[in-house]
Amino acid sequence: MRLGYVLSCEENGPADLIERAMAAERAGFEELWISDHYHPWLDEQGQCPFVWSVIGALSQVCSLPITTAVTCPTVRIHPAVIAQAAATSAVLTGGKFTLGVGTGEALNEHILGDPWPPAGVRLAMLEEAVEVMRKLWTGRSVTHRGEHYTVESARLYTLPEQPPKVFMSALGPKAVTLAARIADGYIGVTPEPDLVRRFRTGGGGSKPAQAGFFACYAPTEDEALRIAHEKWRNMALPGELTVMLPSPRHFEQASRLVTPDMLKNVVVLGPDPDRHLAMIEQYDKAGYDDVFVANTGPYYRELCDLYATEILPRVWRRETIGA
């Protein structure tokens, strides 16, 4: 299993993201995820830089592979534009860039006034978007007239030696089935073995399966819980709210129902390495190949130190919890 670090654009400005990436590389993390949002979930998170500018900067100071987790190439930005952004990112990183895609959330995709389609339509749009991008990554002139997208005599000139890999985020059975069919890898968010199994048996085979979890390092569990509730209480919202609510204001209203106790089983809190290892082990047992940790709050250096000394070596040695 490989361990990666999550760069949260919702919570950090460009310079802070670069510093966190360098700290993660020094600690021994093996890869990076970076979120692609237009808005943060809550105003308290406070940031949302343009991810493609940040990836360009990261490529010059950090050698770790980078995956967007995840980009929605369907509504806010046309897939022909995302194809160019991904190709340039792959060139800048020396081929270490992966385009993570998903069907998105209204929070980020409604901003141009386009309708927010139902889930089935969003999956069809994503499938066509991936088709368009892969055509463009051939370097040939592309004209495409599909159900959702039109491309007229477009050609990409700046291309990596190999086309970017496309990993797909999928939370439900229909999406996982599509990911198994069209994607080069699977991105999940829960340690749910049935979804990983569906991906592998549905055509994904031995392709990589990745997932991430949230942590909040702080000197005490109480302080960690306070920070997590302030910054990421939206994580405990149920059902389809996360894909349907259109603005941070609406997430603020809905998350008033989230108590601190509701986050105790969602976020790994505090400095105890066994708690982090226990969460990693859940994802390992579910069948994931790569697990990424997203740390909220100011103590990212301390979390990196914890992983460098207590967690990464034990994961590499395949030690069990409490060993």
Side-chain angles (χ1 to χ4, degrees), residues 86-249:
T88 299
S89 296
V91 170
L92 284 168
T93 58
K96 295 181 180 180
F97 174 78
T98 297
L99 179 64
V101 300
T103 57
E105 307 92 11
L107 174 70
N108 303 297
E109 306 305 318
H110 79 283
I111 60 169
L112 302 178
D114 298 285
W116 183 234
V121 175
R122 297 202 306 273
L123 283 172
M125 293 173 72
L126 182 59
E127 181 174 5
E128 186 177 337
V130 171
E131 177 189 355
V132 167
M133 292 187 293
R134 285 182 169 147
K135 286 180 178 179
L136 286 162
W137 290 333
T138 66
R140 297 191 292 267
S141 178
V142 173
T143 294
H144 173 94
R145 293 182 176 87
E147 182 178 356
H148 301 288
Y149 303 106
T150 298
V151 179
E152 183 69 37
S153 301
R155 179 183 173 190
L156 294 180
Y157 283 80
T158 300
L159 290 165
E161 292 184 4
Q162 298 295 326
K165 298 288 188 183
V166 177
F167 287 13
M168 180 177 160
S169 171
L171 310 183
K174 291 182 179 179
V176 173
T177 298
L178 178 62
R181 182 161 56 83
I182 72 168
D184 302 305
Y186 170 59
I187 294 175
V189 296
T190 60
E192 177 50 67
D194 288 345
L195 294 178
V196 180
R197 192 177 304 115
R198 177 183 285 267
F199 173 75
R200 299 213 182 280
T201 59
S206 61
K207 294 175 183 177
Q210 301 183 336
F213 68 90
F214 266 83
C216 183
Y217 186 101
T220 67
E221 182 181 343
D222 287 345
E223 184 180 359
L225 182 58
R226 178 190 62 78
I227 294 169
H229 187 259
E230 175 190 348
K231 297 287 189 180
W232 287 92
R233 58 192 177 277
N234 58 287
M235 289 184 57
L237 292 174
E240 296 184 39
L241 286 175
T242 56
V243 298
M244 299 305 294
L245 296 178
S247 75
R249 176 171 59 87

Side-chain angles (χ1 to χ4, degrees), residues 3-312:
L3 289 184
Y5 187 85
V6 180
L7 300 174
S8 170
C9 287
E10 301 92 331
E11 197 178 341
N12 300 286
D16 290 333
L17 291 166
I18 291 168
E19 174 54 38
R20 280 158 174 75
M22 293 191 295
E25 185 169 28
R26 290 193 298 268
F29 284 100
E30 297 165 277
E31 48 194 329
L32 298 171
W33 269 4
I34 186 167
S35 55
D36 180 0
H37 272 217
Y38 194 90
H39 293 135
W41 301 95
L42 300 168
D43 283 347
E44 288 89 344
Q45 292 164 5
Q47 293 286 341
C48 246
F50 189 53
V51 70
W52 303 105
S53 300
V54 177
I55 290 170
L58 289 171
S59 72
Q60 304 305 296
V61 298
C62 179
S63 64
L64 296 180
I66 302 170
T67 300
T68 53
V70 294
T71 294
C72 179
T74 58
V75 178
R76 171 170 49 106
I77 305 181
H78 193 284
V81 179
I82 295 296
Q84 185 183 30
T88 299
S89 296
V91 170
L92 284 168
T93 58
K96 295 181 180 180
F97 174 78
T98 297
L99 179 64
V101 300
T103 57
E105 307 92 11
L107 174 70
N108 303 297
E109 306 305 318
H110 79 283
I111 60 169
L112 302 178
D114 298 285
W116 183 234
V121 175
R122 297 202 306 273
L123 283 172
M125 293 173 72
L126 182 59
E127 181 174 5
E128 186 177 337
V130 171
E131 177 189 355
V132 167
M133 292 187 293
R134 285 182 169 147
K135 286 180 178 179
L136 286 162
W137 290 333
T138 66
R140 297 191 292 267
S141 178
V142 173
T143 294
H144 173 94
R145 293 182 176 87
E147 182 178 356
H148 301 288
Y149 303 106
T150 298
V151 179
E152 183 69 37
S153 301
R155 179 183 173 190
L156 294 180
Y157 283 80
T158 300
L159 290 165
E161 292 184 4
Q162 298 295 326
K165 298 288 188 183
V166 177
F167 287 13
M168 180 177 160
S169 171
L171 310 183
K174 291 182 179 179
V176 173
T177 298
L178 178 62
R181 182 161 56 83
I182 72 168
D184 302 305
Y186 170 59
I187 294 175
V189 296
T190 60
E192 177 50 67
D194 288 345
L195 294 178
V196 180
R197 192 177 304 115
R198 177 183 285 267
F199 173 75
R200 299 213 182 280
T201 59
S206 61
K207 294 175 183 177
Q210 301 183 336
F213 68 90
F214 266 83
C216 183
Y217 186 101
T220 67
E221 182 181 343
D222 287 345
E223 184 180 359
L225 182 58
R226 178 190 62 78
I227 294 169
H229 187 259
E230 175 190 348
K231 297 287 189 180
W232 287 92
R233 58 192 177 277
N234 58 287
M235 289 184 57
L237 292 174
E240 296 184 39
L241 286 175
T242 56
V243 298
M244 299 305 294
L245 296 178
S247 75
R249 176 171 59 87
H250 294 100
F251 278 94
E252 166 60 32
Q253 293 168 358
S255 65
R256 290 173 190 169
L257 302 174
V258 176
T259 66
D261 282 348
M262 293 168 67
L263 291 174
K264 287 185 176 179
N265 294 323
V266 178
V267 183
V268 178
L269 300 167
D272 183 353
D274 278 355
R275 292 192 175 187
H276 293 259
L277 285 161
M279 181 65 80
I280 293 166
E281 193 168 287
Q282 287 186 49
Y283 284 92
D284 187 26
K285 289 180 177 178
Y288 286 99
D289 303 294
D290 306 333
V291 177
F292 295 74
V293 56
N295 184 61
T296 183
Y299 297 104
Y300 71 93
R301 293 185 183 89
E302 291 81 356
L303 178 124
C304 286
D305 290 342
L306 176 71
Y307 272 69
T309 58
E310 298 287 344
I311 295 178
L312 284 159

Side-chain angles (χ1 to χ4, degrees), residues 305-321:
D305 290 342
L306 176 71
Y307 272 69
T309 58
E310 298 287 344
I311 295 178
L312 284 159
R314 290 168 67 177
V315 169
W316 292 332
R317 293 194 300 265
R318 306 294 294 183
E319 291 183 9
T320 57
I321 305 310

